[in-house]
Coordinates of all heavy atoms in Angstrom, one line a residue:
Chain A
E243 N 99.9 95.5 110.0 CA 100.0 96.8 110.5 C 100.2 97.8 109.3 O 99.9 99.0 109.4 CB 101.0 97.1 111.4 CG 101.4 95.9 112.3 CD 100.7 95.8 113.6 OE1 100.7 97.0 114.3 OE2 100.1 94.9 114.0
M247 N 94.9 100.7 110.4 CA 94.0 99.9 111.2 C 93.5 100.9 112.3 O 94.3 101.7 112.7 CB 94.7 98.8 111.9 CG 94.8 97.6 111.1 SD 94.9 96.2 112.2 CE 96.4 96.4 112.9
R251 N 90.6 101.4 122.4 CA 91.2 101.3 123.8 C 90.1 100.7 124.7 O 88.9 101.4 124.8 CB 91.6 102.6 124.3 CG 92.6 103.3 123.5 CD 93.1 104.6 124.0 NE 94.0 105.2 123.1 CZ 95.2 105.6 123.5 NH1 95.8 105.5 124.6 NH2 96.0 106.2 122.5
K274 N 96.2 84.0 120.6 CA 97.5 83.7 120.3 C 98.4 84.9 120.3 O 99.4 85.1 119.5 CB 97.7 82.9 118.9 CG 96.7 81.7 118.8 CD 97.3 80.7 117.9 CE 96.3 79.4 117.8 NZ 95.1 79.5 118.6
L276 N 100.1 85.7 123.0 CA 101.2 85.5 124.0 C 102.4 85.0 123.5 O 102.5 84.2 122.5 CB 100.7 84.6 125.0 CG 99.6 85.1 125.9 CD1 99.1 84.1 126.9 CD2 100.0 86.3 126.8
F277 N 103.6 85.4 124.0 CA 104.7 84.9 123.6 C 105.2 83.7 124.6 O 104.7 83.7 125.7 CB 105.9 86.0 123.8 CG 105.7 87.1 123.0 CD1 104.9 88.3 123.3 CD2 106.2 87.1 121.7 CE1 104.7 89.3 122.4 CE2 106.1 88.1 120.7 CZ 105.3 89.3 121.1
T278 N 105.9 82.9 124.0 CA 106.1 81.5 124.7 C 106.9 81.7 126.0 O 106.6 81.1 127.0 CB 106.9 80.6 123.9 OG1 108.2 81.2 123.3 CG2 106.0 80.1 122.7
D279 N 107.8 82.7 126.2 CA 108.5 82.9 127.2 C 107.6 83.6 128.5 O 107.7 83.4 129.6 CB 109.8 83.8 127.1 CG 109.5 85.1 126.4 OD1 108.8 85.1 125.5 OD2 110.1 86.0 126.8
T302 N 98.8 89.7 133.8 CA 98.8 91.2 134.0 C 99.2 91.7 135.4 O 99.7 92.7 135.6 CB 97.4 91.7 133.7 OG1 96.4 91.1 134.5 CG2 97.1 91.6 132.2
L305 N 103.3 92.8 139.3 CA 104.0 93.4 140.5 C 104.2 92.3 141.6 O 103.3 91.4 141.7 CB 103.5 94.6 141.1 CG 103.3 95.8 140.1 CD1 102.5 96.9 140.8 CD2 104.7 96.3 139.7
R306 N 105.3 92.4 142.2 CA 105.6 91.5 143.3 C 104.3 91.5 144.3 O 103.9 90.4 144.7 CB 106.8 92.0 144.0 CG 107.6 90.9 144.9 CD 108.6 91.7 145.7 NE 110.0 91.8 144.8 CZ 110.7 90.8 144.7 NH1 110.5 89.6 145.2 NH2 111.9 90.9 144.1
E308 N 101.4 92.4 144.0 CA 100.1 91.8 143.3 C 100.1 90.2 143.4 O 99.1 89.6 143.7 CB 100.0 92.2 141.9 CG 99.8 93.7 141.7 CD 99.6 94.3 140.3 OE1 100.3 93.7 139.4 OE2 98.8 95.1 140.1
R309 N 101.2 89.6 143.1 CA 101.3 88.2 143.1 C 101.3 87.7 144.6 O 100.8 86.7 144.7 CB 102.7 87.8 142.4 CG 102.5 88.2 140.9 CD 103.7 87.7 140.2 NE 103.4 87.9 138.9 CZ 104.2 87.3 137.8 NH1 105.2 86.5 138.2 NH2 103.9 87.4 136.6
D316 N 97.5 98.0 140.5 CA 97.5 99.2 139.6 C 97.2 98.7 138.1 O 97.3 97.5 137.8 CB 98.8 99.9 139.6 CG 98.7 101.4 139.2 OD1 97.7 101.7 138.4 OD2 99.4 102.2 139.8
Y319 N 98.8 97.7 131.2 CA 98.4 97.9 129.9 C 98.9 96.8 129.0 O 100.1 96.4 129.2 CB 99.1 99.3 129.4 CG 98.4 100.4 130.1 CD1 98.9 100.9 131.2 CD2 97.3 101.0 129.6 CE1 98.2 102.1 131.9 CE2 96.6 102.0 130.3 CZ 97.2 102.7 131.4 OH 96.5 103.6 132.0
Y321 N 98.7 94.9 124.9 CA 98.4 95.3 123.6 C 98.2 94.0 122.7 O 99.0 93.0 122.9 CB 99.7 96.0 123.0 CG 100.0 97.2 123.9 CD1 100.7 97.0 125.1 CD2 99.4 98.4 123.6 CE1 101.0 98.1 125.9 CE2 99.7 99.5 124.4 CZ 100.4 99.4 125.6 OH 100.6 100.3 126.5
K328 N 93.4 96.9 116.1 CA 94.5 96.9 117.2 C 93.8 97.4 118.5 O 92.9 98.3 118.6 CB 95.5 98.0 116.8 CG 96.7 97.8 117.6 CD 97.9 98.5 116.9 CE 98.8 98.7 118.1 NZ 99.9 97.9 118.3
N343 N 93.1 104.0 140.5 CA 93.8 103.4 139.4 C 92.8 102.8 138.3 O 93.0 102.9 137.2 CB 94.6 102.2 139.9 CG 95.7 102.8 140.9 OD1 96.2 103.9 140.7 ND2 96.3 101.9 141.8
V345 N 90.0 104.5 137.7 CA 89.7 105.7 137.1 C 90.7 106.1 136.0 O 90.3 106.6 135.0 CB 89.4 106.8 138.2 CG1 89.2 108.1 137.5 CG2 88.2 106.4 139.0
T346 N 91.9 105.9 136.3 CA 93.1 106.1 135.4 C 92.9 105.4 134.2 O 93.0 105.9 133.2 CB 94.3 105.8 136.2 OG1 94.5 106.7 137.2 CG2 95.6 105.9 135.2
S349 N 89.7 106.3 132.1 CA 89.4 107.7 131.6 C 89.7 107.8 130.0 O 89.2 108.7 129.4 CB 90.4 108.8 132.3 OG 91.7 108.6 132.0
R460 N 83.7 110.3 118.2 CA 84.5 111.6 118.3 C 83.7 112.8 118.0 O 82.7 112.6 117.2 CB 85.7 111.5 117.2 CG 86.6 110.4 117.7 CD 87.5 110.1 116.5 NE 86.7 109.9 115.3 CZ 87.0 110.2 114.1 NH1 88.3 110.6 113.9 NH2 86.3 110.0 113.0
Q470 N 99.4 124.3 123.1 CA 100.3 123.7 123.9 C 101.5 124.2 124.1 O 102.1 124.4 125.2 CB 100.5 122.2 123.4 CG 100.6 121.1 124.5 CD 100.9 119.8 123.7 OE1 100.9 119.6 122.6 NE2 101.5 118.9 124.5
A487 N 101.5 125.0 118.5 CA 101.5 123.5 118.6 C 100.4 123.0 119.5 O 100.3 123.6 120.6 CB 102.8 123.0 118.9
G488 N 99.8 122.0 119.1 CA 98.8 121.3 120.0 C 98.1 120.1 119.3 O 98.5 119.8 118.3
Q489 N 97.3 119.5 120.1 CA 96.6 118.3 119.7 C 95.1 118.6 119.6 O 94.6 119.3 120.5 CB 96.7 117.0 120.7 CG 96.2 115.9 120.2 CD 96.7 114.6 121.0 OE1 97.0 114.8 122.2 NE2 96.6 113.4 120.3
D519 N 106.0 116.9 108.5 CA 106.2 116.3 107.2 C 105.5 117.2 106.1 O 105.2 116.7 105.1 CB 105.4 114.9 107.3 CG 106.1 113.9 108.2 OD1 107.3 113.8 108.2 OD2 105.3 113.4 109.1
E524 N 93.6 119.5 106.3 CA 92.7 119.5 107.5 C 93.3 118.8 108.7 O 94.1 117.9 108.6 CB 91.4 118.7 107.2 CG 90.6 119.3 106.1 CD 89.3 118.5 105.8 OE1 89.6 117.2 105.5 OE2 88.3 119.0 105.8
F526 N 92.1 117.1 112.5 CA 91.0 116.6 113.4 C 91.6 115.7 114.4 O 92.8 115.3 114.4 CB 90.1 115.8 112.4 CG 90.7 114.9 111.5 CD1 90.9 113.6 111.8 CD2 91.2 115.4 110.2 CE1 91.6 112.7 111.0 CE2 91.8 114.4 109.2 CZ 91.9 113.2 109.7
P528 N 92.9 112.6 116.4 CA 93.8 113.0 117.6 C 95.0 113.6 117.0 O 96.1 113.5 117.6 CB 94.0 111.7 118.3 CG 94.2 110.7 117.1 CD 93.3 111.1 116.1
S530 N 98.3 115.7 116.2 CA 99.1 116.7 116.7 C 99.7 117.6 115.6 O 100.4 117.1 114.7 CB 100.3 116.2 117.4 OG 99.9 115.7 118.8
V531 N 99.4 118.9 115.6 CA 99.7 119.7 114.5 C 100.3 121.1 115.0 O 100.3 121.3 116.2 CB 98.6 120.0 113.5 CG1 98.1 118.7 112.9 CG2 97.4 120.7 114.3
R543 N 100.6 129.3 125.7 CA 100.2 128.1 126.2 C 98.9 128.3 127.0 O 98.9 129.2 127.9 CB 101.2 127.4 126.9 CG 100.8 126.2 127.7 CD 101.8 125.4 128.3 NE 101.4 124.3 129.2 CZ 101.2 123.2 128.8 NH1 101.3 122.7 127.7 NH2 100.8 122.3 129.7
K582 N 94.5 121.3 136.7 CA 95.0 121.3 135.4 C 93.8 121.0 134.4 O 93.3 119.9 134.6 CB 96.2 120.3 135.3 CG 97.0 120.4 133.9 CD 98.1 119.7 133.8 CE 98.8 119.9 132.4 NZ 100.0 119.0 132.1
T584 N 92.8 121.1 130.3 CA 93.5 121.1 128.9 C 95.0 121.5 129.2 O 95.7 120.9 130.0 CB 92.9 122.0 127.9 OG1 93.1 123.4 128.2 CG2 91.4 121.6 127.8
Y634 N 81.4 118.3 130.2 CA 82.1 117.0 129.9 C 81.4 116.2 129.0 O 82.0 115.4 128.2 CB 82.5 116.4 131.2 CG 83.3 115.1 131.1 CD1 84.7 115.2 130.9 CD2 82.7 113.8 131.2 CE1 85.5 114.0 130.8 CE2 83.4 112.7 131.0 CZ 84.8 112.8 130.8 OH 85.6 111.7 130.7
A649 N 100.5 121.0 148.2 CA 101.7 120.7 149.2 C 102.4 119.4 148.8 O 103.5 119.3 148.7 CB 101.1 120.5 150.7
N651 N 101.8 117.6 145.8 CA 101.8 117.7 144.4 C 101.1 116.2 143.8 O 101.2 116.0 142.7 CB 103.3 117.6 143.9 CG 103.9 118.9 144.0 OD1 103.2 120.0 143.9 ND2 105.2 118.9 144.1
R652 N 100.4 115.7 144.7 CA 99.6 114.5 144.2 C 98.3 114.9 143.6 O 97.7 115.9 143.9 CB 99.3 113.5 145.4 CG 100.6 112.7 145.8 CD 100.3 111.6 146.8 NE 99.4 110.7 146.2 CZ 99.7 109.5 145.6 NH1 101.1 109.2 145.4 NH2 98.9 108.6 145.2
T653 N 98.0 114.1 142.5 CA 96.7 114.2 141.8 C 95.6 113.7 142.7 O 95.6 112.5 143.2 CB 96.7 113.5 140.5 OG1 97.9 114.0 139.8 CG2 95.4 113.8 139.8
Chain B
Y188 N 87.9 111.1 108.3 CA 88.4 111.7 109.5 C 89.0 110.6 110.4 O 88.6 110.6 111.6 CB 87.6 112.6 110.1 CG 87.1 113.8 109.4 CD1 85.9 114.0 108.8 CD2 88.2 114.7 109.0 CE1 85.6 115.1 108.0 CE2 87.9 115.8 108.2 CZ 86.6 116.0 107.7 OH 86.4 117.1 106.9
H192 N 96.6 103.6 113.2 CA 97.0 103.4 114.6 C 98.4 104.0 114.8 O 98.8 104.6 115.8 CB 96.9 102.1 115.1 CG 98.1 101.1 114.8 ND1 98.0 100.5 113.5 CD2 99.3 101.0 115.3 CE1 99.3 99.8 113.4 NE2 99.9 100.1 114.5
A198 N 100.9 110.9 117.2 CA 100.3 112.1 117.7 C 100.5 112.2 119.3 O 100.6 113.2 119.8 CB 98.9 112.2 117.2
E199 N 100.1 111.0 119.9 CA 100.2 111.0 121.3 C 101.5 111.2 121.8 O 101.8 112.0 122.8 CB 99.7 109.5 121.8 CG 99.7 109.4 123.3 CD 99.2 107.9 123.6 OE1 99.9 106.9 123.5 OE2 98.0 107.9 124.0
F202 N 102.4 114.9 121.6 CA 101.8 115.7 122.6 C 102.5 115.6 123.9 O 102.7 116.6 124.6 CB 100.3 115.1 122.8 CG 99.6 115.7 123.9 CD1 99.0 117.0 123.7 CD2 99.5 115.2 125.1 CE1 98.2 117.7 124.7 CE2 98.8 115.7 126.1 CZ 98.2 117.0 126.0
R205 N 105.6 117.6 124.0 CA 105.5 119.1 124.0 C 105.0 119.5 125.4 O 105.5 120.5 126.0 CB 104.4 119.5 123.0 CG 104.9 119.5 121.6 CD 103.7 119.7 120.6 NE 104.2 119.7 119.2 CZ 103.4 119.7 118.2 NH1 102.1 119.5 118.4 NH2 103.9 119.9 117.0
E206 N 104.2 118.6 126.1 CA 103.8 118.9 127.5 C 105.1 119.1 128.4 O 105.1 119.9 129.2 CB 103.0 117.8 128.1 CG 101.5 117.8 127.7 CD 100.9 119.1 128.1 OE1 100.5 119.3 129.3 OE2 100.7 119.9 127.2
A209 N 106.9 122.3 127.8 CA 106.0 123.4 128.2 C 106.1 123.6 129.7 O 106.1 124.6 130.2 CB 104.7 123.4 127.7
E210 N 106.2 122.4 130.3 CA 106.0 122.6 131.8 C 107.1 122.3 132.7 O 107.2 122.6 133.9 CB 104.9 121.5 132.2 CG 103.5 121.9 131.6 CD 102.4 121.6 132.6 OE1 102.4 120.5 133.2 OE2 101.6 122.5 132.8
K233 N 110.1 115.9 115.2 CA 108.7 116.3 114.6 C 108.0 117.2 115.6 O 107.2 118.1 115.1 CB 108.0 115.0 114.5 CG 108.4 114.2 113.3 CD 107.3 113.3 112.8 CE 107.8 112.5 111.5 NZ 106.6 111.8 110.8
R319 N 105.5 99.8 127.4 CA 104.8 98.9 128.4 C 104.8 97.5 128.0 O 104.5 96.5 128.6 CB 103.5 99.5 128.5 CG 103.4 100.8 129.3 CD 102.0 101.3 129.3 NE 101.8 102.5 130.2 CZ 100.9 103.4 130.0 NH1 100.0 103.3 129.0 NH2 100.8 104.4 130.9
K323 N 106.6 93.0 132.3 CA 105.4 93.1 133.1 C 105.4 94.3 134.1 O 104.4 94.7 134.5 CB 105.2 91.7 133.8 CG 106.2 91.2 134.8 CD 105.9 89.9 135.2 CE 106.9 89.3 136.2 NZ 108.2 89.3 135.6
A326 N 104.6 97.3 132.2 CA 103.3 97.4 131.8 C 102.4 98.2 132.7 O 101.3 98.6 132.5 CB 102.7 96.0 131.8
K327 N 103.0 98.4 134.0 CA 102.3 99.1 135.0 C 102.6 100.6 135.1 O 102.0 101.3 136.0 CB 102.7 98.5 136.3 CG 102.3 97.0 136.5 CD 101.0 96.9 137.1 CE 100.4 95.5 137.0 NZ 99.0 95.4 137.4
R329 N 103.1 104.6 134.5 CA 102.5 105.9 134.1 C 103.3 106.4 132.9 O 104.4 106.2 132.9 CB 102.2 106.9 135.1 CG 101.5 106.5 136.3 CD 99.9 106.5 136.0 NE 99.2 106.1 137.2 CZ 98.7 105.0 137.6 NH1 98.9 103.9 136.7 NH2 98.0 104.9 138.6
N344 N 102.1 103.2 144.7 CA 101.6 104.4 145.0 C 101.8 105.5 144.0 O 102.3 106.4 144.2 CB 102.2 104.8 146.4 CG 101.5 106.1 147.1 OD1 100.4 106.3 146.8 ND2 102.2 106.8 147.9
Q345 N 101.4 105.0 142.8 CA 101.6 105.9 141.7 C 100.5 107.0 141.5 O 99.3 106.7 142.1 CB 101.6 105.1 140.3 CG 102.6 104.1 140.2 CD 102.7 103.5 138.8 OE1 103.4 104.1 138.0 NE2 102.2 102.5 138.5
R346 N 100.8 108.2 141.0 CA 99.8 109.2 140.9 C 98.7 108.7 139.8 O 99.1 108.2 138.8 CB 100.4 110.5 140.2 CG 101.4 111.2 141.3 CD 101.9 112.4 140.5 NE 102.7 113.0 141.7 CZ 103.5 114.1 141.4 NH1 103.6 114.6 140.2 NH2 104.2 114.7 142.3
P347 N 97.5 109.0 140.1 CA 96.4 108.8 139.2 C 96.8 109.6 137.9 O 97.4 110.6 138.0 CB 95.1 109.4 139.7 CG 95.3 109.4 141.2 CD 96.9 109.6 141.4
E348 N 96.4 109.0 136.8 CA 96.7 109.8 135.5 C 95.5 109.7 134.7 O 95.4 108.7 134.0 CB 98.0 109.1 134.8 CG 98.6 109.9 133.6 CD 100.0 109.4 133.3 OE1 100.1 108.4 132.6 OE2 101.0 110.0 133.7
L349 N 94.8 110.8 134.7 CA 93.6 110.8 133.9 C 93.7 111.6 132.5 O 94.4 112.5 132.4 CB 92.5 111.5 134.6 CG 91.9 110.6 135.7 CD1 92.5 110.9 137.1 CD2 90.4 110.7 135.7
W350 N 92.9 110.9 131.5 CA 92.8 111.5 130.1 C 94.4 111.7 129.7 O 95.2 111.0 129.9 CB 92.0 112.8 130.2 CG 90.6 112.5 130.8 CD1 89.7 111.8 130.2 CD2 90.1 113.1 131.9 NE1 88.5 111.9 131.0 CE2 88.8 112.6 132.1 CE3 90.6 114.0 132.9 CZ2 87.9 113.0 133.2 CZ3 89.8 114.3 134.1 CH2 88.4 113.7 134.2
L352 N 95.9 114.5 130.9 CA 96.4 115.6 131.9 C 97.5 115.0 132.7 O 97.3 114.3 133.7 CB 95.3 115.9 132.7 CG 94.1 116.6 131.9 CD1 92.9 116.9 132.8 CD2 94.5 117.9 131.3
Y353 N 98.8 115.3 132.3 CA 99.8 114.7 132.9 C 100.4 115.7 134.0 O 100.5 116.9 133.8 CB 101.1 114.5 132.0 CG 100.5 113.6 130.9 CD1 100.4 114.0 129.5 CD2 100.3 112.2 131.2 CE1 100.0 113.1 128.6 CE2 99.9 111.3 130.2 CZ 99.7 111.9 128.8 OH 99.3 110.9 127.9
N354 N 100.6 115.1 135.2 CA 100.9 115.8 136.4 C 102.5 115.7 136.6 O 102.9 114.8 137.1 CB 100.2 115.4 137.7 CG 100.7 116.1 138.8 OD1 101.5 117.0 138.9 ND2 100.0 115.7 140.0
R356 N 104.2 118.0 138.4 CA 104.7 118.8 139.6 C 105.6 118.0 140.6 O 105.3 116.8 140.8 CB 103.5 119.3 140.4 CG 102.7 120.4 139.5 CD 101.4 120.7 140.2 NE 101.7 121.4 141.6 CZ 101.3 122.6 141.8 NH1 100.7 123.3 140.8 NH2 101.6 123.1 143.0
H357 N 106.6 118.6 141.0 CA 107.5 117.9 141.9 C 108.3 118.9 142.8 O 108.3 120.2 142.4 CB 108.5 117.1 141.2 CG 109.3 118.0 140.1 ND1 108.8 118.4 138.9 CD2 110.6 118.4 140.3 CE1 109.7 119.2 138.4 NE2 110.9 119.2 139.2
H358 N 108.9 118.5 143.8 CA 109.8 119.4 144.7 C 111.2 119.3 144.2 O 111.5 118.4 143.5 CB 109.6 118.9 146.2 CG 108.2 119.1 146.7 ND1 107.5 118.1 147.3 CD2 107.5 120.3 146.9 CE1 106.4 118.6 147.7 NE2 106.3 119.9 147.4
S369 N 105.1 104.8 125.6 CA 104.5 103.9 126.5 C 103.5 102.9 125.7 O 103.5 101.7 125.9 CB 103.5 104.6 127.5 OG 104.4 105.1 128.4
N370 N 102.8 103.4 124.8 CA 101.8 102.6 124.1 C 102.3 101.8 122.7 O 101.4 101.3 122.0 CB 100.5 103.3 123.9 CG 99.7 103.6 125.2 OD1 99.7 102.7 126.1 ND2 99.3 104.8 125.3
D375 N 105.2 98.0 116.3 CA 104.8 99.5 115.9 C 106.2 100.2 115.7 O 106.3 101.0 114.6 CB 104.2 100.1 117.0 CG 102.8 99.6 117.3 OD1 102.2 99.1 116.4 OD2 102.4 99.7 118.5
H378 N 107.5 99.2 112.3 CA 106.7 99.8 111.1 C 107.0 101.3 111.0 O 107.0 101.8 109.9 CB 105.2 99.6 111.4 CG 104.7 98.2 111.1 ND1 104.7 97.8 109.8 CD2 104.3 97.2 111.8 CE1 104.2 96.6 109.7 NE2 104.1 96.1 110.9
R457 N 107.7 84.4 118.4 CA 106.9 83.8 119.6 C 107.7 84.1 120.9 O 107.3 83.7 121.9 CB 106.7 82.4 119.5 CG 105.9 81.9 118.2 CD 104.7 82.8 117.9 NE 103.8 83.2 118.9 CZ 103.1 84.4 118.9 NH1 103.3 85.2 118.1 NH2 102.4 84.6 120.0
I458 N 108.8 84.9 120.9 CA 109.5 85.2 122.1 C 109.6 86.8 122.3 O 109.8 87.3 121.2 CB 110.9 84.6 122.1 CG1 110.8 83.0 121.9 CG2 111.6 84.8 123.4 CD1 112.2 82.3 121.9
T459 N 109.4 87.2 123.4 CA 109.6 88.6 123.7 C 111.0 89.0 123.4 O 111.9 88.3 123.5 CB 109.2 89.1 125.1 OG1 110.1 88.5 126.1 CG2 107.8 88.6 125.3
G462 N 113.0 88.6 126.4 CA 113.2 87.1 126.7 C 114.3 86.6 125.8 O 115.1 85.7 126.2
E472 N 112.2 86.5 138.9 CA 110.9 86.9 138.2 C 110.6 88.4 138.4 O 110.1 89.0 137.5 CB 109.9 86.2 139.1 CG 109.2 84.9 138.4 CD 108.5 85.4 137.1 OE1 107.5 86.1 137.1 OE2 109.2 85.0 136.0
A473 N 111.2 89.0 139.5 CA 110.9 90.5 139.5 C 112.2 91.4 139.3 O 112.2 92.5 139.8 CB 110.3 90.7 141.0
E476 N 111.4 94.9 138.1 CA 110.7 95.7 139.1 C 111.7 96.2 140.1 O 111.6 97.4 140.5 CB 109.5 94.9 139.7 CG 108.8 95.7 140.8 CD 107.7 95.0 141.5 OE1 107.3 94.0 140.9 OE2 107.3 95.3 142.6
D477 N 112.6 95.3 140.6 CA 113.5 95.6 141.6 C 114.5 96.7 141.1 O 114.8 97.6 141.8 CB 114.3 94.4 142.1 CG 113.4 93.4 142.7 OD1 112.2 93.8 143.2 OD2 113.8 92.2 143.0

Side-chain angles (χ1 to χ4, degrees):
Chain A
E243 332 263 312
M247 272 211 293
R251 294 179 192 244
K274 310 206 177 357
L276 289 176
F277 293 94
T278 50
D279 53 320
T302 55
L305 297 176
R306 203 187 270 283
E308 292 179 324
R309 291 179 170 199
D316 210 332
Y319 293 90
Y321 306 81
K328 190 165 155 97
N343 297 334
V345 169
T346 292
S349 70
R460 294 163 314 150
Q470 211 186 346
Q489 186 168 26
D519 301 307
E524 298 178 304
F526 46 89
S530 280
V531 296
R543 174 175 166 84
K582 190 168 178 191
T584 68
Y634 184 78
N651 288 331
R652 285 190 59 95
T653 305
Chain B
Y188 297 114
H192 82 274
E199 178 180 79
F202 177 83
R205 288 170 172 169
E206 278 302 282
E210 295 218 313
K233 289 200 178 194
R319 287 169 174 159
K323 59 188 181 305
K327 295 271 163 183
R329 300 283 188 258
N344 198 18
Q345 300 195 82
R346 289 179 177 175
E348 190 164 82
L349 281 100
W350 304 293
L352 295 175
Y353 301 112
N354 177 359
R356 290 172 65 115
H357 61 280
H358 293 120
S369 286
N370 288 322
D375 295 330
H378 279 292
R457 298 317 312 148
I458 304 183
T459 63
E472 257 298 293
E476 179 181 342
D477 294 342

